[in-house]
Amino acid sequence: MEQISRIPLKVEDLEEIMETYRRIQDAAEEEDLQSPFPVPYTSPEVIVKKKDAETHSTAKNPARVKQTYMGQAIGYSTTPLSSLSRISLQEMQVRQRHEGKYLLCKIITQPTHLGNVIFGVEDTNGWAQIVSLYNYPGTLYANEKELETLFPFGSVIAIREPSVKMSLTASHSHVPVESPSDILFIRPGDELLADIQWSSVLHSSPALYRSELEWKTTGDGHFRKEEYYAASVAYLRALEQQHSFTAARLNRSLALIKLQLYTAALEELRIALSTADLSISDQKKALYRSGQAHYGDGSYHDALKMYQECLALDQDLRETTGHFDWNTLYQEGLVPGSIPDVADFTGPIEIASVAHRGGGRGIISTRDVAAGELLLVSKPFAMSNQVRCQNNPIVVFSLHNSHVNGTRMLEILQQCVLKLSMCSKDTYKDFYSVYAGLQTTTQSKSDGPTPVTDHRSSFSRDVGLARLESVCSLNTFGLTSDYFDAKNPQEVLETGFDGAAALYILPSYFNHSCLPNATRIVLGSLLVVRACKDIPKAQKLPLPIAQTKETMKKGHISFTTSNVAVPYVLRTGLQEPK
């Protein structure tokens, strides 16, 4: 088991963090007042040297806590690449989004991860820039091998409707990309490159010219190390070269199941099962994994059907049924973030408009409920890994909503980006129906799924980040009971900033009150809600606001250590709550 191996974030770091955020906010406000100007020429050699120097400096003097910011890019693209026209860096303006255009460029440096993925690019005319890529799935804890699989040196990419901005923490410009679906990988031989001439010749990574078998071997290596997203991308590259490569398709389906991307896994398995002359062995794998995917998605009747078809092919297979009592679930739930193998359950509750909440919504009872009755059991939509979060401390300043988040929020964001780009339409709609703050209550582009039909995209749907980030920031639950029992400010910070956390869909509709009639407990990552008193029909069901008596004081900082304390202070710039 991975152990915590770093010095945790300290309370003393808060003032420095907030001062950095104020500087970034001031720089962002100043940037908004400035006029656009032509992108200055930067040679590829300068970008390579600058990137090498940054990598060397980081390796020599690693920061105890990485810091980055997001929210500088405006909007995201929903326009197909075929409807965009090409633009060069020389034609672009700093402080401007270039709608109706795409930037064609090559990756000319090894990617690094400093809270976001950073690499250098060169366009067809030999002009270069730094790309800052945010929220890209599978990169938060990625090692060099994973990053090389995801962004091979020499890869040609198209950035849809790009922006060029001045860095808020340095004096150079960069291309910020906040929606991963804005980047498309252009493979060798693509018709888009038919008439393209590059002004300089770059040595590309051998990864670009791997055969389908080599890509499968790469995927197998990532899979064995539990690097499931890199594995799924490697298998996809193999399938791009040979669509009928059944072994790669079946392996990709399993990687997608591990990532809980059940809709995407079922599509791969549907294609596999429709393959002519599929061997009995591959049929069994495809049927069994189809059962796994349906089971994970909560489609239990479909799962049973797949398992029965699998059993019909091989009577030696035996289905095991999971029966868990509450004592067993409690013991399993002692490990924060564990995922007990049980189904979601929705009891006598429903979502309804709630009076006196400005038109907001909440959970109410659909009948009379007795004290102690089970109301809800929910598995998370996305979840952070506590040990990994605490071993990889990152502070993220959000210009979208003035929040300061930690590693756990980055992990949840990346998982949501990946799931929303590949989930069913119903799941997509359910997610974006969750409260996202007063600034984002109106419908936006991200509320309706925009299918991506371009084969160059790694994602099946465009995903915008502003609303998504607000949903995550306002609806994430802490999973560790230590947070509510914190004895001192340091414990509050560790559990509240980079402790285990999860985002749930239906539980996000519960409101909170100092006089609750329902209570919740977290078993691993399983959220369980019960009535704590007799409740009549059509009654609002608020959950408790948990808090301790400890206070945190340091200079002008003073706030109670409750489950909202750290997020509140980090949102409001260390002002004491009124």
Side-chain angles (χ1 to χ4, degrees):
M1 178 180 293
E2 187 177 2
Q3 301 295 318
I4 296 176
S5 60
R6 61 92 180 170
I7 301 173
L9 189 66
K10 297 294 185 182
V11 171
E12 290 75 16
D13 296 328
L14 278 177
E15 283 193 358
E16 179 183 346
I17 288 170
M18 294 311 302
E19 180 58 34
T20 301
Y21 184 41
R22 292 188 187 102
R23 290 198 302 270
I24 289 175
Q25 280 187 314
D26 291 343
E29 291 173 2
E30 180 67 23
E31 270 295 296
D32 289 342
L33 299 175
Q34 302 302 314
S35 301
F37 65 92
V39 172
Y41 171 74
T42 305
S43 70
E45 292 77 18
V46 168
I47 292 294
V48 171
K49 288 180 180 178
K50 183 183 295 185
K51 190 69 171 56
D52 288 345
E54 289 178 355
T55 301
H56 178 74
S57 175
T58 302
K60 187 177 180 180
N61 302 296
R64 189 167 64 82
V65 179
K66 298 176 184 177
Q67 298 184 17
T68 187
Y69 62 90
M70 58 190 295
Q72 194 181 16
I74 301 174
Y76 68 104
S77 181
T78 59
T79 306
L81 189 63
S82 59
S83 299
L84 303 174
S85 59
R86 186 160 60 90
I87 191 173
S88 67
L89 286 168
Q90 187 176 3
E91 299 170 300
M92 295 173 69
Q93 297 277 314
V94 179
R95 306 188 181 114
Q96 182 175 317
R97 182 167 181 251
H98 299 82
E99 297 183 358
K101 305 293 183 179
Y102 73 89
L103 175 64
L104 190 69
C105 51
K106 279 186 178 181
I107 297 177
I108 60 173
T109 68
Q110 297 296 338
T112 55
H113 191 279
L114 298 172
N116 54 291
V117 178
I118 301 172
F119 50 80
V121 298
E122 175 185 358
D123 73 3
T124 56
N125 296 328
W127 287 46
Q129 275 289 325
I130 292 290
V131 170
S132 301
L133 178 58
Y134 301 86
N135 310 302
Y136 202 91
T139 60
L140 184 57
Y141 307 122
N143 55 44
E144 290 183 9
K145 292 291 186 183
E146 289 176 273
L147 291 175
E148 170 65 15
T149 293
L150 299 177
F151 310 101
F153 179 84
S155 294
V156 178
I157 60 174
I159 304 176
R160 296 189 294 164
E161 301 188 304
S163 300
V164 182
K165 298 285 187 176
M166 293 301 298
S167 171
L168 300 180
T169 56
S171 58
H172 61 78
S173 58
H174 69 135
V175 180
V177 181
E178 291 205 5
S179 178
S181 57
D182 283 350
I183 285 191
L184 305 179
F185 284 84
I186 314 301
R187 301 298 160 195
D190 192 295
E191 59 184 15
L192 196 69
L193 304 177
D195 300 319
I196 297 298
Q197 297 291 326
W198 299 89
S199 63
S200 62
V201 178
L202 295 173
H203 294 290
S204 298
S205 166
L208 286 178
Y209 303 99
R210 289 173 181 160
S211 67
E212 62 270 22
L213 288 174
E214 289 171 325
W215 273 117
K216 178 183 176 298
T217 299
T218 299
D220 293 344
H222 286 307
F223 192 95
R224 284 192 292 270
K225 295 177 182 178
E226 299 183 0
E227 298 162 356
Y228 298 123
Y229 184 69
S232 73
V233 170
Y235 294 136
L236 180 62
R237 301 293 175 249
L239 290 167
E240 288 173 344
Q241 296 190 35
Q242 185 180 331
H243 186 265
S244 60
F245 195 175
T246 299
R249 192 174 301 282
L250 290 174
N251 286 7
R252 184 166 194 263
S253 72
L254 188 56
L256 293 171
I257 289 171
K258 293 291 186 180
L259 292 165
Q260 299 181 25
L261 302 175
Y262 303 118
T263 300
L266 286 168
E267 176 59 20
E268 295 289 10
L269 292 163
R270 182 193 65 78
I271 295 173
L273 286 168
S274 66
T275 302
D277 302 322
L278 190 66
S279 69
I280 295 296
S281 175
D282 286 342
Q283 286 184 56
K284 289 189 292 186
K285 288 181 182 179
L287 289 169
Y288 185 77
R289 290 173 190 173
S290 295
Q292 288 180 296
H294 281 303
Y295 182 86
D297 205 29
S299 303
Y300 301 114
H301 291 294
D302 291 330
L304 181 60
K305 178 182 176 182
M306 291 294 126
Y307 287 138
Q308 288 172 336
E309 289 187 33
C310 190
L311 282 168
L313 290 175
D314 190 343
Q315 293 298 322
D316 290 333
L317 289 174
R318 292 291 180 268
E319 180 183 1
T320 59
T321 59
H323 176 73
F324 297 93
D325 57 27
W326 290 108
N327 288 330
T328 302
L329 283 176
Y330 174 76
Q331 293 300 322
E332 290 186 354
L334 292 177
V335 180
S338 62
I339 307 177
D341 184 18
V342 295
D344 284 351
F345 169 78
T346 302
I349 62 174
E350 66 179 3
I351 301 170
S353 297
V354 178
H356 311 300
R357 290 196 59 83
R361 295 161 297 172
I363 299 291
I364 66 170
S365 53
T366 58
R367 59 169 171 78
D368 292 346
V369 175
E373 188 170 346
L374 183 64
L375 301 177
L376 177 74
V377 176
S378 179
K379 290 181 286 190
F381 181 79
M383 178 179 65
S384 67
N385 180 302
Q386 182 173 0
V387 174
R388 283 192 161 190
C389 284
Q390 295 184 353
N391 282 340
N392 299 271
I394 302 172
V395 176
V396 185
F397 309 110
S398 173
L399 302 175
H400 285 311
N401 53 24
S402 300
H403 286 196
V404 179
N405 294 313
T407 312
R408 73 179 192 177
M409 187 58 66
L410 271 184
E411 182 168 10
I412 288 172
L413 275 172
Q414 286 194 10
Q415 288 183 23
C416 288
V417 167
L418 186 57
K419 288 191 173 184
L420 291 170
S421 70
M422 297 187 182
C423 67
S424 67
K425 289 183 180 180
D426 288 342
T427 300
Y428 196 94
K429 181 180 178 180
D430 289 346
F431 181 92
Y432 280 113
S433 295
V434 172
Y435 178 70
L438 297 177
Q439 303 300 318
T440 53
T441 53
T442 57
Q443 290 285 314
S444 67
K445 290 192 294 186
S446 58
D447 294 317
T450 304
V452 175
T453 57
D454 199 315
H455 66 278
R456 305 175 183 97
S457 178
S458 299
F459 308 98
S460 58
R461 185 180 294 116
D462 294 323
V463 178
L465 265 295
R467 185 178 179 88
L468 188 156
E469 186 188 346
S470 293
V471 169
C472 293
S473 296
L474 297 172
N475 296 282
T476 295
F477 287 76
L479 298 183
T480 52
S481 60
D482 298 341
Y483 191 85
F484 307 109
D485 300 323
K487 300 298 189 297
N488 57 61
Q490 181 60 39
E491 290 183 14
V492 173
L493 185 60
E494 289 183 26
T495 56
F497 199 69
D498 57 8
L503 176 72
Y504 305 84
I505 303 299
L506 183 57
S508 294
Y509 287 92
F510 279 100
N511 292 309
H512 296 80
S513 171
C514 295
L515 299 172
N517 53 17
T519 189
R520 69 180 173 94
I521 185 173
V522 177
L523 302 175
S525 63
L526 200 67
L527 189 66
V528 180
V529 179
R530 289 183 179 274
C532 59
K533 59 178 68 174
D534 291 339
I535 304 170
K537 180 181 178 180
Q539 185 75 21
K540 292 180 291 185
L541 301 175
L543 294 174
I545 301 175
Q547 63 180 31
T548 69
K549 297 179 181 179
E550 293 292 325
T551 60
M552 176 185 282
K553 293 184 178 180
K554 186 179 186 301
H556 61 283
I557 308 170
S558 176
F559 55 95
T560 56
T561 58
S562 71
N563 64 324
V564 295
V566 171
Y568 181 87
V569 169
L570 295 178
R571 278 202 305 275
T572 57
L574 300 179
Q575 297 175 1
E576 182 175 354
K578 303 298 183 182

